Amino acid sequence: MNVTFEQQSVIVTGAAHGFGRAIALAFAQRGAVVWACDVQEERLHETAHLARQGATPLHTRAVDVTSRDAVQALVDGVQQHTGRVDVLVNNAGGVLGQVGRPIEAITPQDWHAIFQVNVDGAFYCAQAVAPIMKQQGRGRIINISSGAGLGISLTGIQAYASAKAAQIGLTRQLAHELGEWGITVNNVAPGFVRSNPTTEKQWESYGEDGQRRLLQNIALKRLGSPEDIAHAVLFFASDYAGWVTGQVLSVDGGK
């Protein structure tokens, strides 16, 4: 299957490392005009450096997706530059450094912070690109959730599991709302992947026994990579998924 995105305009949030970086690079390697966005500017420069090394340069923008105004400014800039937005990948999110604690220890600020980046951010980005995609009569929105949104969070973080479940609900709702304009909205739910400093700490915290148990619970008996997640995104963004919308694809090695 030869998947290309020649001259398509693609926005990827949370592109400073991990899944977002792999997704941004994958689109750039296939001819897309990529806008890689994140709040971590220094690590975003690393993403751009890797793209240049592969002779597939991309644009970078420092954007806080929890700010509706910042998101709208980003999308306005992309439209002015390319005249269109073909693909939006809502990857920004995570646990923001939080760890699992009893529910009675969770502050309102902790709870809302995770919802803001994982749910509000995806909503603001989709809201900003929707009018452009409607005018085009075509578009692809892909949200990156987590196995935690379909089951439970391995870290025990209540807000993360809840926010990812909410993001999946948003995916299904927008698929029905936007479908008549040729816009598909789908979701990739990754399993545990060692993709960034947070997941590295999580992996180390399990110890040898815990790591062995985690692998034994995976059908393929191995961890995946950020590229595995990127490949699922490429499918949803491609013409091969033209009649696929409102779906959640678990990319987790089999549970």
Side-chain angles (χ1 to χ4, degrees), residues 14-189:
H17 56 67
F19 299 153
R21 174 179 287 175
I23 292 165
L25 294 176
F27 275 110
Q29 289 161 4
R30 289 161 177 82
V33 180
V34 178
W35 303 80
C37 312
D38 209 294
V39 292
Q40 300 182 43
E41 287 191 70
E42 186 172 336
R43 301 202 71 184
L44 199 56
H45 293 324
E46 295 174 13
T47 300
H49 176 68
L50 290 171
R52 288 193 298 271
Q53 282 187 322
T56 54
L58 46 72
H59 302 277
T60 59
R61 291 292 183 274
V63 179
D64 179 358
V65 298
T66 68
S67 166
R68 186 173 182 269
D69 289 342
V71 167
Q72 189 62 57
L74 163 71
V75 173
D76 288 345
V78 172
Q79 186 182 29
Q80 289 170 11
H81 188 275
T82 63
R84 57 189 300 110
V85 178
D86 297 285
V87 181
L88 165 66
V89 183
N90 285 312
N91 173 70
V95 300
L96 305 180
Q98 295 187 36
V99 296
R101 291 170 292 158
I103 188 170
E104 59 268 26
I106 309 302
T107 67
Q109 292 79 11
D110 291 339
W111 174 266
H112 290 298
I114 287 180
F115 265 81
Q116 285 169 352
V117 69
N118 288 280
V119 185
D120 294 359
F123 174 78
Y124 293 150
C125 289
Q127 187 178 52
V129 304
I132 301 170
M133 291 183 174
K134 283 181 177 181
Q135 187 175 30
Q136 295 168 179
R138 185 187 187 281
R140 299 282 192 267
I141 298 174
I142 301 111
N143 299 321
I144 310 300
S145 61
S146 168
L150 295 169
I152 62 170
S153 170
L154 294 176
T155 61
I157 299 174
Q158 303 90 343
Y160 184 70
S162 302
K164 290 305 188 182
Q167 193 195 67
I168 290 170
L170 178 65
T171 298
R172 291 171 173 148
Q173 191 66 37
L174 290 181
H176 281 268
E177 177 180 339
L178 301 176
E180 65 181 284
W181 287 277
I183 303 167
T184 66
V185 188
N186 289 292
N187 197 293
V188 177

